[in-house]
Amino acid sequence: MSQKVVVFSQIDREILMKLEQRYQVVQINPKNGDVNQQILEASRDADGMIGAGRVLNERNLKHAEKLKVISSVSVGYDNYDVGYLNQKNIWLAHTPHVLTETTADLAFALLMSAARKVPSLDAWTKHGQWSRTAGPDQFGVDIYGKTLGIIGLGHIGAAIARRGFHGFNMNVLYHSRREKIETAEQFKAEFCTLNELLSRSDFVVVAVDLNAESRALIGAKELQLMQPHAVLVNIARGSVVDEQALIQALKNRSIFAAGLDVYEKEPLQQSELFQLDNAVTLPHVGSATAQTRKRMVELAYKNLVDALEGRQPQYCVKSA
Ligand code: 8YV
């Protein structure tokens, strides 16, 4: 009897076919009703699970007595109850590294778009409003040679620092739980407190994992420390930033703009952010290129197969 695998989100067709050739596959489909109920039932006799973007915890895995591995097609793992999975000896595998450069590219796309008002000026031009030379209302802020403050100098944060330092001659500051001397020296990056980074940076990029320490890390008080010409970029997790406080800061123009790829609740279909000309809003596409998503799901497939064949997956998450 072949092992059973639950696919809990949409994955690449080729990989799905490979799974179906190897395992008994059950796909979770929102069209078939409550997803959590489907996961609760399907995981009952499952050996493995693969997918992304779903909360998996004791509530919907409590019957998963045979489950050996959850292979996440993501680098972030804040939507999994890692402590519970470790306690049940269920491997949680993820896909770091393969998406680092793609996500760092998107961070800079947001930084530049927000700094130079690209989306709103594109709309302005296309609506025939360009009747004379662009003036102060169309002015953006400079990037080259400015100060880039990165919250979280992990792989993605370091890739963003590399772009700023080498590509835009930027002065790099960073804040993280501990100093990252070897990484920082590549970009002459200066370790500083969060408040110092917020008050000194022209561009603040949130690149930190979501965890108990980073949840709501950036609130009204922190936003008030930023300069009126400063730009906030978030490519990490929405819940690191107090979204209502950010909306107020943008409305009050106490910061120049924000470039956002993530939100407290996703998918985001209605928000005051959508009415703000100084908010650039993307739909969580940090890793969303065909090439990178293919690499992610191929790695997640390998992690799954390794685990189902009794080998510890290459990239396993351990509870802190
Ligand atoms: C999404 C991401 O997970 O890898 C992560 O942590 O945030 C993204 O790659 C991916 O888009 C699947 O939802």
Side-chain angles (χ1 to χ4, degrees):
M1 175 73 170
S2 62
Q3 293 171 302
K4 177 179 173 183
V5 169
V6 174
V7 179
F8 58 90
S9 68
Q10 264 197 318
I11 64 171
D12 174 271
R13 273 223 55 75
E14 259 177 58
I15 295 292
L16 182 61
M17 286 166 65
K18 283 175 77 172
L19 285 169
E20 287 168 338
Q21 284 159 8
R22 210 172 178 138
Y23 305 110
Q24 180 204 336
V25 171
V26 171
Q27 291 187 68
I28 302 299
N29 184 339
K31 293 196 179 89
N32 297 340
D34 180 74
V35 167
N36 280 320
Q37 192 55 39
Q38 291 183 59
I39 289 171
L40 193 66
E41 287 312 311
S43 63
R44 195 179 284 275
D45 56 349
D47 300 281
M49 299 178 76
I50 183 169
R54 293 259 175 247
V55 173
L56 295 181
N57 55 24
E58 185 169 6
R59 274 190 50 233
N60 54 16
L61 295 178
K62 62 188 172 190
H63 299 321
E65 293 305 323
K66 286 176 62 187
L67 192 61
K68 303 177 185 65
V69 60
I70 294 171
S71 183
S72 189
V73 188
S74 69
V75 64
Y77 46 84
D78 48 281
N79 45 321
Y80 304 104
D81 184 340
V82 181
Y84 173 72
L85 297 177
N86 284 175
Q87 175 206 323
K88 304 290 278 183
N89 293 318
I90 298 169
W91 275 318
L92 174 61
H94 68 145
T95 58
H97 310 310
V98 291
L99 47 61
T100 298
E101 301 304 338
T102 299
T103 307
D105 285 350
L106 197 275
F108 250 84
L110 278 169
L111 185 149
M112 296 185 76
S113 297
R116 301 302 300 274
K117 303 185 173 180
V118 170
S120 56
L121 290 179
D122 173 63
W124 184 75
T125 305
K126 288 175 180 169
H127 288 110
Q129 292 173 296
W130 182 18
S131 58
R132 62 189 185 291
T133 308
D137 287 350
Q138 288 77 48
F139 291 173
V141 290
D142 282 313
I143 299 165
Y144 190 81
K146 296 299 180 184
T147 297
L148 170 65
I150 300 173
I151 303 174
L153 199 65
H155 295 291
I156 293 173
I160 295 165
R162 189 178 337 115
R163 283 157 175 77
F165 181 72
H166 293 296
F168 292 79
N169 194 35
M170 295 178 92
N171 166 41
V172 181
L173 309 177
Y174 77 99
H175 173 72
S176 56
R177 279 185 283 205
R178 53 182 167 73
E179 282 198 73
K180 305 259 181 106
I181 294 167
E182 244 178 78
T183 303
E185 64 191 11
Q186 300 168 55
F187 325 111
K188 297 184 185 148
E190 179 187 343
F191 180 69
C192 49
T193 66
L194 177 62
N195 288 358
E196 199 182 348
L197 181 145
L198 292 165
S199 56
R200 287 175 54 190
S201 298
D202 301 303
F203 296 90
V204 175
V205 180
V206 181
V208 68
D209 293 348
L210 178 61
N211 51 49
E213 288 169 275
S214 65
R215 190 174 293 275
L217 183 69
I218 308 295
K221 189 167 63 63
E222 289 72 26
L223 290 165
Q224 277 151 18
L225 292 171
M226 289 179 64
Q227 301 172 70
H229 66 267
V231 173
L232 178 82
V233 172
N234 190 0
I235 45 94
R237 286 290 184 268
S239 298
V240 176
V241 178
D242 177 330
E243 205 159 291
Q244 283 310 311
L246 177 57
I247 289 169
Q248 283 314 311
L250 290 165
K251 280 180 169 176
N252 303 338
R253 298 202 182 268
S254 66
I255 63 172
F256 183 78
L260 307 173
D261 189 41
V262 288
Y263 309 87
E264 285 176 348
K265 288 211 176 1
E266 295 179 9
L268 187 68
Q269 293 179 312
Q270 284 180 333
S271 168
E272 284 185 84
L273 288 167
F274 297 168
Q275 279 71 51
L276 301 178
D277 65 359
N278 53 350
V280 180
T281 51
L282 293 182
H284 199 153
V285 287
S287 61
T289 63
Q291 192 180 11
T292 292
R293 283 295 172 80
K294 182 90 173 171
R295 282 202 296 256
M296 288 169 69
V297 72
E298 283 169 349
L299 177 52
Y301 173 81
K302 181 181 179 307
N303 286 336
L304 177 81
V305 170
D306 282 348
L308 294 182
E309 291 181 357
R311 299 181 297 276
Q312 175 162 329
Q314 185 180 7
Y315 297 108
C316 257
V317 175
K318 287 273 172 257
S319 51

